[in-house]
Amino acid sequence: MSEPILPGSTLGILGSGQLGRMLAQSARRMGYRIHTLSPGSDTPTGQLADREVVADYDDLDAIADFARQVDVVTFEFENVASAATDAAAQHAPVRPRGQVLHITQNRRREKEALAAAGLPTAPFEVVDTQAQLAGAIDRIGTPAILKTAGFGYDGKGQTRIDRNTDPADAWAAIGGVPAVLEGLVDFAAELSVVAARGLDGAVVDYGLIENRHVDHILDVSIADMPLVPEQAKAARDIAETVLSALDVVGVLCIELFLTRDGALLVNELAPRPHNSGHLTIEGCASSQFDQQLRAVCGLPLGDTRRLQPVAMVNLLGDHWAGGEPAWAAALADPAVNLHLYGKAEASAGRKMGHITAFGSDRDDAARRATAARAALHSTE
């Protein structure tokens, strides 16, 4: 096993959004220096970095130069071309490895990798042309969801197909690009397991997190979804299988459906810290960002123990529509913590920050978090 990359070394982050910002906060606390690369300047990560490189992800010369000046490279979102990680890997370790990014940034490759690992998913078929779509609909049935194979998140790049949907209309709705058709799951809940795997193969996770969405965007996450022990074990087994099968070194989130009959199906993978895992910052002994840093630097993984019942709510740009939110009102509850991402402009649907709250139990934590968010519009 490689020697650990110790405090004082330089961490390179491809991407510069809020996930990179929170990773940089963990890295700074542990004594690392931070370089970040993205097409933007004065970015959420760049505001905390020692060096902010402005370059496109397909500028392989800039990527290579960036990697020469750091000790390890990681990424904070999937829309980095795998060619960029290949270029970086010529000069510094890239963790998770570029092949993990290559698989998870494309739904076809991801679904096929999950199937090859024997993991449960919704029924799916690969659809490369409009001509293939009608047959796939006949076999999968309706309702179904047609999703672009590449580059989609927060509900983008997908359309629903019902019994009377014209396949040509559905194909046009996603831009006529290669896609995956998935049977629509009648789920009781959406869950996630945020897990980390170290350079030594050790795996830790944060248990089952319940996620509630609005308009395909995560709205509320609540730690410790109460399931029977067999379901909790199945979720952990799925997480460990994914991490091992893909040989991940770093953090990965497995999004799951809990079906009405109690089964767990894998929905999607995210090979980096996840929105639902933000509650680990205050809620656990070591956050998901601490784990990402520890894993990619080859350090022992931290303790994922929950300190108290905790929940998180997202703050979208919509909350700025009427002017500056009432921050003092939101923080009136001492159990509430506020995180803002340093983004210059608020727009509808854009993730600008989040609120976490502790409670006497998980329901109380969720109530406190949502009440704090509602108080942002207080006129007192």
Side-chain angles (χ1 to χ4, degrees), residues 88-172:
Q90 300 301 310
H91 307 284
V94 176
R95 297 170 182 157
R97 63 197 180 98
Q99 182 65 11
V100 176
L101 182 69
H102 179 68
I103 291 169
T104 57
Q105 69 186 191
N106 181 280
R107 289 189 176 101
R108 173 179 183 166
R109 292 192 290 267
E110 182 175 282
K111 292 289 186 186
E112 291 175 342
L114 291 170
L119 292 168
T121 68
F124 73 92
E125 280 202 27
V126 173
V127 179
D128 288 324
T129 66
Q130 180 182 325
Q132 293 176 351
L133 180 56
I137 293 171
D138 287 341
R139 289 184 291 275
I140 295 292
T142 58
I145 304 292
L146 184 65
K147 302 179 178 180
T148 57
F151 301 118
Y153 62 95
D154 287 345
K156 298 178 174 64
Q158 58 183 265
T159 190
R160 177 174 170 135
I161 295 177
D162 291 302
R163 183 167 57 86
N164 296 322
T165 302
D166 185 334
D169 292 339
W171 187 250

Side-chain angles (χ1 to χ4, degrees), residues 101-367:
L101 182 69
H102 179 68
I103 291 169
T104 57
Q105 69 186 191
N106 181 280
R107 289 189 176 101
R108 173 179 183 166
R109 292 192 290 267
E110 182 175 282
K111 292 289 186 186
E112 291 175 342
L114 291 170
L119 292 168
T121 68
F124 73 92
E125 280 202 27
V126 173
V127 179
D128 288 324
T129 66
Q130 180 182 325
Q132 293 176 351
L133 180 56
I137 293 171
D138 287 341
R139 289 184 291 275
I140 295 292
T142 58
I145 304 292
L146 184 65
K147 302 179 178 180
T148 57
F151 301 118
Y153 62 95
D154 287 345
K156 298 178 174 64
Q158 58 183 265
T159 190
R160 177 174 170 135
I161 295 177
D162 291 302
R163 183 167 57 86
N164 296 322
T165 302
D166 185 334
D169 292 339
W171 187 250
I174 64 159
V177 296
V180 172
L181 182 70
E182 297 179 14
L184 190 69
V185 176
D186 180 23
F187 58 83
E190 293 180 85
L191 311 173
S192 59
V193 178
V194 177
R197 183 170 180 267
L199 200 56
D200 61 355
V203 174
V204 297
D205 70 75
Y206 291 95
L208 280 159
I209 299 168
E210 179 186 2
N211 299 315
R212 301 172 184 173
H213 293 76
V214 174
D215 295 331
H216 302 289
I217 300 175
L218 181 62
D219 185 56
V220 181
S221 289
I222 313 169
D224 302 322
M225 178 71 175
L227 297 180
V228 298
E230 292 78 11
Q231 291 169 314
K233 182 181 184 302
R236 287 193 156 100
D237 288 346
I238 287 170
E240 187 161 358
T241 298
V242 171
L243 288 162
S244 298
L246 299 185
D247 191 22
V248 173
V249 175
V251 169
L252 183 139
C253 176
I254 301 94
E255 297 179 35
L256 300 163
F257 292 128
L258 174 67
T259 67
R260 300 286 178 188
D261 59 3
L264 292 170
L265 301 178
V266 180
N267 179 28
E268 292 184 349
L269 307 178
R272 37 75 179 168
H274 190 260
N275 194 172
S276 66
H278 294 348
L279 54 77
T280 66
I281 297 173
E282 282 88 23
C284 297
S286 295
S287 76
Q288 64 170 344
F289 300 100
D290 296 337
Q291 301 291 15
Q292 184 183 21
L293 179 69
R294 285 169 174 258
V296 303
C297 290
L299 298 171
L301 299 180
D303 186 355
T304 60
R305 177 170 35 96
R306 190 89 61 240
L307 302 178
Q308 282 184 257
V310 64
M312 180 217 72
V313 294
N314 270 328
L315 300 179
L316 302 183
D318 312 62
H319 293 289
W320 278 254
E324 191 70 14
W327 302 119
L331 293 169
D333 182 345
V336 165
N337 290 281
L338 173 67
H339 294 256
L340 294 177
Y341 302 151
K343 296 182 178 179
E345 295 183 12
S347 57
R350 190 182 194 196
K351 294 172 183 174
M352 301 295 293
H354 70 266
I355 283 172
T356 58
F358 291 128
S360 58
D361 56 30
R362 65 191 307 273
D363 292 331
D364 184 48
R367 182 191 62 77

